[in-house]
């Protein structure tokens, strides 16, 4: 029989577990994901179809693409799609949504998903040295004595120190595993020490393909088909062109001397992990929706092929590679808009001068070009494929997204104000401008009155309120995140902006306040 002390200890542990669970559930229930507030989003995007079709049609004509297909996705739905030209020029066979195009380096994110599936299953670590899984890498001669060993994370983010290898890598697609591993064993050349620079490497993703095979004991093609393609319902998507539906397979071409020249398709081999996937608009929309489903973070049941948090990890800008002030939107009035770019895991990240974030990847091989791009904050994505050598479509896809957002008046998700932030902002308004009993109010974190003198706070607030004149209205609360936000008080002469940041305690308190005068803003009550 257990002693009373043991029973009591068990009860305490049980109570602690359930109280912790209750607190976690309470936190999750309090979290408010960002939402779309426009009820006409779908209808407004549908109305852009004619304009977008014309943009793509002109682009396809200008770039001499034999065949061209595209699709626009909103909130998990293929809103509209289209296509021009031929998948087989010789037979004059038109393209359609079922046409299968080789999407080249757009394949890299599928390889990244496979790696993260294995990471999430505890079968590898992203900071493992790649040589742990590929013994042929153990004798690599690094460029400097202090070079770190190449890790899986280096390979995922193009930071392994290998030279940029377009178009060399494109011609290695069909290499056998034996040929590839012998090349690695014979030694590789470096352009940088690992870990210090971004340089696009098809070789790096071919190495990831070998790691997937080593960890799973399955051919790369078989693993990704069974654990990514089939679960997503991408049943027509294949790595080897001989396994593709013959009636839907797009052939590759190049535009040479004012005519189309057929470019023979390469077989799937050791470099397939960097760019060999063959898919259609009908299938790829399912993949796009997988990525869009990761946003925003939420407490819904997580049952996809990869955890939503891991998908968002893929979208994160892990390795910076470009800052430019020479970017222009190509649609409507030409507008200059600087941007910054980085690489995630098998995907590119870009943020423009307006704060818009784009997650994308381009593909290019002899005979094919492609791009897909999504804007998670808008629930919007575009994909386009063609069958002309290096007929990349990234610039036109960004132009189309800009057009859709502009014509449909799309707004990004808006973050609702959390209950605690709303409570603290309203409490803050009541003690202004004289900060009456602020120190004893229990509203402020223990740092606050160590950082700010009450007399200085009162002086500043009264000056701001005097400039504003009579307060005639209170504007809406605006959340920056769950614990930070602003509110506007509309005065007769000027407006007042109150900004709060709350503390990370269980019961968040005010750790920072800014009260300032601003020019009058428009507000409709």
């Amino acid at each position: 029989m257990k002693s009373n002390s043991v029973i009591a200890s068990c009860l305490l542990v049980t109570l602690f577990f359930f109280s912790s669970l209750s607190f976690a559930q309470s936190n999750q229930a309090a979290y408010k994901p960002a939402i779309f507030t426009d009820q006409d989003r779908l209808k407004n995007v549908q109305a852009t179809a004619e304009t977008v079709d014309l943009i793509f049609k002109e682009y396809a004509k200008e770039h001499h693409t034999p065949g061209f297909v595209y699709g626009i996705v909103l909130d998990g739905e293929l809103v509209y799609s289209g296509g021009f030209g031929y998948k087989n020029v010789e037979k004059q066979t038109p393209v359609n949504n079922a046409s299968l195009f080789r999407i080249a380096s757009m394949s890299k994110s599928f390889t990244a998903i496979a790696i993260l599936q294995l990471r999430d299953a505890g079968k590898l670590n992203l900071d493992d040295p790649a040589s742990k899984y590929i013994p042929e890498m153990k004798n690599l001669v690094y460029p400097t004595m202090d070079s770190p060993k190449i890790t899986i994370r280096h390979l995922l983010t193009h930071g392994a120190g290998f030279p940029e290898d377009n178009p060399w890598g494109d011609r290695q697609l069909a290499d056998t595993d034996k040929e590839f591993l012998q090349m690695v064993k014979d030694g590789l050349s470096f352009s940088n020490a690992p870990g210090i620079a971004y340089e696009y490497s098809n070789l790096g993703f071919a190495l990831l393909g070998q790691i997937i095979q080593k960890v799973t004991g399955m051919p790369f093609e078989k693993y990704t088909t069974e654990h990514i393609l089939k679960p997503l319902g991408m049943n027509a998507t294949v790595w080897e062109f001989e396994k593709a539906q013959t009636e839907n397979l797009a052939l590759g071409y190049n535009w040479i001397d004012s005519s189309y020249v057929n470019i023979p398709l390469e077989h799937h081999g050791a470099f397939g992990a960097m760019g060999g996937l063959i898919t259609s608009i009908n299938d790829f929309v399912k993949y796009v929706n997988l990525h869009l489903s990761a946003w925003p973070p939420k407490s819904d049941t997580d049952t996809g092929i990869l955890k939503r948090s891991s998908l968002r990890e893929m979208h994160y800008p892990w390795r910076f590679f470009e800052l430019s002030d020479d970017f222009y939107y190509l649609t409507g009035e030409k507008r200059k808009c600087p941007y910054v770019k980085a690489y995630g895991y098998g995907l590119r990240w870009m943020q423009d001068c307006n704060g818009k974030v784009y997650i994308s990847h381009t593909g290019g091989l002899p005979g094919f070009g492609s791009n897909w791009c999504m804007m998670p904050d808008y629930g919007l994505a575009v994909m386009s494929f063609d069958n002309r050598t290096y007929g990349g479509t990234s610039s036109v896809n960004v132009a189309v997204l800009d057009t859709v957002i502009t014509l449909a008046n799309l707004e990004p998700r808006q973050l609702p104000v959390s209950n605690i932030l709303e409570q603290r902002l309203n409490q803050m308004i009541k003690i202004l401008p004289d900060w009456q009993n602020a120190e004893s109010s229990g509203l402020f974190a223990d740092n606050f009155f160590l950082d700010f003198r009450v007399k200085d706070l009162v002086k500043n607030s009264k000056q701001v309120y005097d400039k504003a004149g009579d307060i005639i209205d209170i504007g809406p609360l605006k959340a920056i995140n769950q614990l930070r936000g602003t509110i506007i008080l509309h005065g007769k002469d000027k407006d007042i902006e109150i900004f709060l940041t709350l503390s990370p305690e269980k019961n968040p308190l005010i750790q920072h306040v800014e009260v300032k005068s601003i020019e009058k803003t428009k507000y409709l009550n």
Side-chain angles (χ1 to χ4, degrees), residues 475-501:
L477 308 179
K478 182 177 180 180
I480 297 171
N481 56 40
Q482 302 293 310
L483 299 176
R484 179 176 293 170
T486 61
I487 190 169
I488 304 294
L489 306 185
H490 295 277
K492 180 182 177 182
D493 302 313
K494 285 201 170 185
D495 289 347
I496 301 170
E497 181 182 82
I498 302 171
F499 167 81
L500 293 189
T501 296

Side-chain angles (χ1 to χ4, degrees), residues 101-381:
F101 289 75
R102 181 157 259 163
I103 59 171
S105 288
M106 283 173 56
S107 311
K108 287 181 169 66
S109 62
F110 289 80
T111 301
I113 281 183
I115 288 289
L116 290 179
Q117 285 178 331
L118 298 174
R119 189 278 308 273
D120 290 352
K123 296 181 179 180
L124 57 78
N125 189 301
L126 298 190
D127 294 312
D128 286 340
S131 58
K132 177 179 178 179
Y133 307 97
I134 306 176
E136 291 81 358
M137 295 181 68
K138 289 183 177 179
N139 295 322
L140 287 181
V141 178
Y142 286 89
T144 63
M145 291 292 291
D146 63 356
S147 292
K149 301 297 183 184
I150 293 170
T151 67
I152 294 174
R153 195 185 304 274
H154 287 146
L155 298 175
L156 280 172
T157 59
H158 296 302
F162 299 134
E164 185 278 321
D165 58 3
N166 285 326
W168 173 85
D170 297 344
R171 297 296 184 176
Q172 316 305 315
L173 197 65
D175 288 3
T176 66
D177 289 343
K178 182 179 179 181
E179 291 169 334
F180 176 64
L181 292 174
Q182 185 61 53
M183 179 188 69
V184 175
K185 187 176 181 179
D186 290 344
L188 299 171
S189 295
F190 290 83
S191 56
N192 290 292
I196 64 167
Y198 167 90
E199 195 157 2
Y200 192 81
S201 175
N202 291 303
L203 169 63
F205 270 77
L207 289 167
L208 290 172
Q210 294 298 312
I211 292 172
I212 291 164
Q213 293 188 152
K214 185 64 177 284
V215 172
T216 65
M218 301 169 64
F220 172 83
E221 177 185 3
K222 181 176 176 63
Y223 177 84
T224 51
T225 298
E226 293 188 359
H227 292 83
I228 301 175
L229 304 180
K230 286 184 177 179
L232 289 176
M234 299 177 70
N235 298 319
T237 301
V238 295
W239 293 94
E240 169 54 50
F241 74 86
E242 288 186 342
K243 296 180 181 180
Q245 300 163 353
T246 304
E247 67 278 13
N248 288 323
L249 183 63
L251 303 183
Y253 298 89
N254 201 0
W255 181 251
I256 301 175
D257 295 333
S258 300
S259 64
Y260 293 118
V261 177
N262 180 265
I263 306 297
L265 292 163
E266 291 194 62
H267 290 287
H268 171 75
F271 271 75
M274 70 83 184
L277 199 64
I278 299 168
T279 191
S280 67
I281 292 293
N282 285 341
D283 266 15
F284 199 76
V285 68
K286 300 168 186 176
Y287 185 68
V288 172
N289 289 340
L290 169 72
H291 284 274
L292 285 174
S293 73
W295 297 94
K298 47 190 172 287
S299 294
D300 299 358
T301 304
D302 201 348
T303 58
I305 63 165
L306 186 66
K307 293 190 299 184
R308 292 193 298 264
S309 59
S310 294
L311 287 165
R312 294 192 295 271
E313 187 179 348
M314 290 179 67
H315 306 160
Y316 189 77
W318 290 105
R319 192 170 299 280
F320 164 82
F321 69 85
E322 185 177 0
L323 175 64
S324 174
D325 66 350
D326 195 31
F327 170 72
Y328 291 85
Y329 285 112
L330 301 180
T331 50
E333 183 181 351
K334 194 174 182 182
R335 312 189 313 278
K336 189 171 184 176
C337 187
Y339 66 79
V340 61
K341 285 185 177 180
Y343 205 83
Y345 298 155
L347 291 166
R348 290 191 175 98
W349 175 95
M350 182 178 92
Q351 186 171 45
D352 71 13
C353 65
N354 297 311
K356 294 187 177 76
V357 171
Y358 306 76
I359 310 297
S360 68
H361 213 289
T362 295
L365 278 171
F368 296 94
S370 58
N371 174 270
W372 80 285
C373 185
M374 69 173 180
M375 303 179 72
D377 293 339
Y378 289 79
L380 180 67

